[in-house]
Amino acid sequence: MTGRTGETGETGEMGETGEHDASARPRTGDLTLYATGSIGMGVWVTVPGLLLLYFLTRTLGVPAFLAGTTLLLPKIVDVVAHPLLGSLTDRRARRTGHRRGLLRVGLWLTAAWIALFSVPEGLSGTPAALWVGCCCVAGNLLFACFQVPYLTTPSDLRIGYHERTRVFMFRMVFLTLGLLVAGVAAPALVASGGHRAYARMALLLAGLLIASQLVALTGVRRLTERCGFRLPDEHAHSARDDIRAAWRDHDFRALALSYLCTGTTTHLFLAAVPFYTEYVLDDRDLTAVLMGAFLVPATVAGPGWLRVSRRIGKQSGLLLSQAVFAAGSLALAASGRLGAAGAAVLVLVAALGTAFAGLQLFAFSMVPDAVAAAETRGRARAGAYTGVWTATEAAGTALGPYVYATVLALGGFVSTTGGRSVRQSHTAHLALLLGITVLPAVFMAVAMACQRRCGLDRR
């Protein structure tokens, strides 16, 4: 028997595996196993976001606007698929009592990952863009099969407000470890700029991707056994009804719109880093250095942001991290020509990385809060909410590189093949600099405006 009372943090509830309390505390070992899955997620999100636009324009000879479109169109499939998968995983969870079936389908992601960067050497321009676009579609769908049930797990557990933040703090630490490994290793492995370098990089990181997914499966099982599994509504709903219910939730809608702008900002920044190091700092090898400066602080900032959450709440913490990211982006515009040894650039990038940790922790940990609040109103559709959320995230990961590619195209950026360097116009230089500084600040300001309309913490 599974209890269906609303979450209070005090009332005892029955889970699938016995008695569970809404204030149950997940074990550290189980959280570690679960969070390990975020390493692979970090690899999938970071490397394409960091290198694909650069790979297309600097190695495959794809014009900037076409390259941005190549990365955008597959995400349109994601925006449709994620809510459908969220609704599907709710229906399966009602029938089986868990969501691990779809997680297992997502294990095929490694095959798409390898193919994505193994573009045949004879392909360039439009044919190469078509290859990358098709691999992106397949990979994004497989990633969604893993991501949606994986990120629904904290909403499924019978735990309280602060414990949900703790779950995502563990996930944030491991996610940033994955981001760090991928963000530093991948640029170093492809420094030569050739086709084979990218294929070799993909093969080397493939093992890390699949291993983290397998460990995460064990973590999901142990967490639900320990803390209980909150079944979705007993009554079946269509995918359209599930999506409509999630989108009509005022607080969740404000949170999702805010994260759409936040995700666009951070992925725009990732896509712009290789261009910034080559054309502003005059040293493409500094890509790995800047990614390290961004991600090392993000890796260690999680516990600090958790303390901030306990003191001022998630809503205020999220607004604070958004403000820091916007201010740091604007400051980077003034420091952009300090040179490779400019300490100010590294300090500002470290501040952006610290803010990035808060952006991820607070936004993601508020999704289970939205699900818990919806359950008190008689709707328990964790998968549907997570599906809409991950669709929003997927849109942001595509819009960021697309917006930056559009800025490059408007500035007259010239694409090349084989990693060759060509002289860019003054307008192109100005476009790539404004794209990584002023534009992120504008998007983050919009994110803050949306976030202020969210009242989850007040509830």
Side-chain angles (χ1 to χ4, degrees):
M1 175 179 177
T2 303
R4 292 190 175 278
T5 58
E7 177 146 352
T8 64
E10 299 172 355
T11 305
E13 298 177 311
M14 285 287 290
E16 270 194 328
T17 57
E19 288 287 346
H20 298 281
D21 192 270
S23 58
R25 185 176 176 84
R27 293 178 294 195
T28 299
D30 296 342
L31 287 176
T32 300
L33 292 175
Y34 168 74
T36 299
S38 292
I39 295 178
M41 295 177 69
V43 171
W44 174 260
V45 170
T46 302
V47 178
L50 177 64
L51 295 180
L52 264 187
L53 181 60
Y54 192 78
F55 180 44
L56 287 165
T57 58
R58 301 283 284 104
T59 300
L60 301 178
V62 180
F65 186 77
L66 177 58
T69 304
T70 299
L71 302 181
L72 176 66
L73 291 181
K75 292 296 183 180
I76 296 176
V77 178
D78 274 9
V79 171
V80 175
H82 279 247
L84 296 178
L85 289 172
S87 185
L88 173 64
T89 193
D90 273 346
R91 291 196 295 272
R92 288 190 173 184
R94 283 191 292 267
R95 186 171 65 251
T96 64
H98 63 80
R99 302 181 190 269
R100 295 191 295 274
L102 203 57
L103 280 167
R104 295 188 182 99
V105 175
L107 297 178
W108 289 99
L109 175 63
T110 304
W113 159 263
I114 294 172
L116 179 63
F117 289 100
S118 300
V119 181
E121 292 196 30
L123 294 185
S124 64
T126 301
L130 183 61
W131 174 286
V132 171
C134 290
C135 290
C136 279
V137 170
N140 289 340
L141 288 175
L142 290 168
F143 181 68
C145 289
F146 186 87
Q147 183 189 34
V148 171
Y150 178 80
L151 292 181
T152 306
T153 298
S155 299
D156 291 332
L157 302 179
R158 297 184 175 282
I159 55 178
Y161 175 88
H162 288 301
E163 285 305 311
R164 289 194 288 268
T165 311
R166 180 168 168 259
V167 172
F168 276 102
M169 189 272 289
F170 270 78
R171 177 188 175 265
M172 185 65 220
V173 170
F174 281 82
L175 175 65
T176 50
L177 281 174
L179 297 175
L180 179 61
V181 171
V184 174
L189 290 171
V190 301
S192 66
H195 284 70
R196 293 182 181 179
Y198 282 91
R200 184 167 57 251
M201 175 273 297
L203 282 172
L204 290 173
L205 294 180
L208 181 63
L209 179 59
I210 185 65
S212 71
Q213 289 181 299
L214 290 171
V215 173
L217 273 168
T218 301
V220 170
R221 177 178 56 80
R222 290 188 179 182
L223 280 175
T224 52
E225 288 176 352
R226 165 75 174 173
C227 299
F229 185 85
R230 188 189 309 275
L231 285 176
D233 287 347
E234 293 179 355
H235 302 291
H237 307 93
S238 68
R240 179 181 298 178
D241 288 340
D242 284 339
I243 296 168
R244 185 182 295 116
W247 200 246
R248 284 179 176 174
D249 186 327
H250 175 272
D251 293 328
F252 178 76
R253 184 172 67 248
L255 179 64
L257 288 174
S258 175
Y259 192 71
L260 173 63
C261 295
T262 298
T264 300
T265 303
T266 54
H267 285 87
L268 186 158
F269 178 83
L270 287 176
V273 166
F275 297 90
Y276 179 79
T277 56
E278 179 172 357
Y279 293 103
V280 178
L281 302 183
D282 297 322
D283 188 351
R284 70 171 69 179
D285 292 337
L286 286 176
T287 298
V289 176
L290 256 63
M291 288 306 299
F294 182 77
L295 293 169
V296 169
T299 303
V300 300
W305 283 120
L306 180 61
R307 288 192 289 272
V308 169
S309 172
R310 292 181 181 276
R311 181 176 294 272
I312 65 175
K314 303 176 194 179
Q315 168 82 347
S316 297
L318 180 53
L319 289 169
L320 174 62
S321 56
Q322 289 172 330
V324 171
F325 200 99
S329 298
L330 289 175
L332 193 62
S335 303
R337 295 200 176 274
L338 292 179
V345 174
L346 295 178
V347 170
L348 288 173
V349 171
L352 292 174
T354 303
F356 173 75
L359 296 173
Q360 295 292 305
L361 174 62
F362 294 124
F364 276 85
S365 63
M366 290 178 77
V367 176
D369 295 342
V371 173
E375 186 178 9
T376 64
R377 301 190 295 271
R379 296 192 300 269
R381 306 181 187 183
Y385 273 61
T386 305
V388 172
W389 178 261
T390 55
T392 303
E393 183 186 23
T397 62
L399 284 172
Y402 178 77
V403 169
Y404 192 69
T406 302
V407 171
L408 291 181
L410 292 174
F413 184 85
V414 179
S415 298
T416 62
T417 58
R420 293 184 296 107
S421 294
V422 298
R423 182 179 297 275
Q424 302 291 343
S425 67
H426 173 74
T427 306
H429 274 271
L430 180 62
L432 66 88
L433 179 60
L434 293 179
I436 196 176
T437 56
V438 175
L439 204 54
V442 171
F443 273 106
M444 199 60 80
V446 177
M448 293 177 68
C450 294
Q451 186 61 39
R452 289 182 182 279
R453 300 176 63 86
C454 179
L456 279 172
D457 270 9
R458 290 192 298 273
R459 292 182 186 279

